[in-house]
Amino acid sequence: MKHAVRCLAAAAVLSLASFAASAQEAESPYSWNVTAVSDYVFRGVSQTDEDPTLQAGFTYTSPVGLYAGVWGSGVDFGPGDPSTEVDFLIGYGFDVSDNVNFDVLFNRYTYPGASELNYNELITSTTFAEQYKLTVAYTNDLSGSDTKSWYYAIGGEWALPQDFTLAANVGRTSLETDFGKDYTDFNIGVSRQFGLFNLGLGFHGTDGAGRDNNGYLADNRVVFTVGVGK
């Protein structure tokens, strides 16, 4: 049954990507992506019980910087629902100066079949020199638990020889005491673009507090990604 649900989810996201691809034109306001991942890791924690899944997204961006989109992925939190995550997002990005861009995003995380897990998050990102990014996020209802949580992260991207890109990120999740311990996550990886396709290999992990909160799902792991998009 779980395999059938994942196949249906994969068909849905691939159909979304096909629709988005048909809409592509020069300077199109539409963007899309479909990605196969060996593990869906969110802030250092596996969302698929260490199994592979498909992900897809579709976004429209207006000329003034407003954008809206949808993103989906398979998930596995144990027996029963949910088997998919669908995020609805709306945001606005603008240049503060020649070297600084600011983006504010409202993200609605939804889990079909398990609506009690749904929650909202406000995410801000400040990009410096198109290379370094500072992220601050807040929710007052983490995973539908009425728990307040902050997330802070800093990361960067650097060009490597042979058109490879190196990316690294360190984040800190702050939780109310009853929900779990504050913990740190990190990742580092390399990727390369081949036309519409992108191949990536990354190393993800958390500190001891992250593993105390989430057990083996927060262990260090290598994640392989194959994506296509525009």
Side-chain angles (χ1 to χ4, degrees):
M1 181 65 180
K2 183 187 294 184
H3 177 71
V5 171
R6 287 184 175 172
C7 289
L8 289 172
V13 295
L14 287 172
S15 296
L16 174 64
S18 298
F19 167 78
S22 68
Q24 295 303 305
E25 298 175 356
E27 302 301 326
S28 171
Y30 302 98
S31 62
W32 60 273
N33 62 82
V34 178
T35 305
V37 297
S38 62
D39 191 354
Y40 169 23
V41 179
F42 179 70
R43 296 176 185 171
V45 181
S46 174
Q47 307 294 292
T48 51
D49 198 19
E50 302 186 310
D51 286 335
T53 192
L54 280 175
Q55 302 174 336
F58 176 70
T59 304
Y60 168 78
T61 303
S62 75
V64 297
L66 287 168
Y67 61 90
V70 60
W71 181 87
S73 176
V75 296
D76 184 358
F77 300 146
D81 290 326
S83 59
T84 56
E85 172 188 334
V86 181
D87 298 348
F88 300 93
L89 57 96
I90 185 169
Y92 177 59
F94 62 94
D95 291 329
V96 178
S97 68
D98 290 343
N99 293 313
V100 179
N101 177 273
F102 182 77
D103 185 281
V104 58
L105 164 68
F106 176 84
N107 197 82
R108 173 69 173 174
Y109 301 85
T110 72
Y111 300 90
S115 60
E116 68 277 7
L117 299 177
N118 297 351
Y119 70 102
N120 305 320
E121 188 173 47
L122 185 66
I123 306 169
T124 66
S125 300
T126 307
T127 303
F128 305 91
E130 300 183 356
Q131 191 172 17
Y132 305 98
K133 180 178 289 188
L134 174 66
T135 300
V136 178
Y138 172 76
T139 179
N140 64 354
D141 188 26
L142 182 63
S143 299
S145 64
D146 290 326
T147 297
K148 298 181 179 65
S149 176
W150 287 89
Y151 182 71
Y152 311 91
I154 187 166
E157 292 188 353
W158 301 270
L160 297 177
Q162 304 300 318
D163 296 323
F164 283 90
T165 299
L166 171 68
N169 185 85
V170 177
R172 180 73 174 174
T173 297
S174 175
L175 299 165
E176 292 186 336
T177 304
D178 291 343
F179 194 84
K181 300 177 181 178
D182 296 355
Y183 75 95
T184 299
D185 71 274
F186 58 88
N187 63 79
I188 185 169
V190 293
S191 61
R192 192 182 192 280
Q193 195 75 27
F194 297 90
L196 291 178
F197 291 88
N198 185 279
L199 303 182
L201 187 67
F203 180 77
H204 298 251
T206 70
D207 62 5
R211 294 189 293 275
D212 287 344
N213 289 346
N214 301 283
Y216 71 93
L217 297 177
D219 285 347
N220 296 343
R221 69 196 64 238
V222 174
V223 177
F224 181 62
T225 64
V226 180
V228 59
K230 190 169 183 180

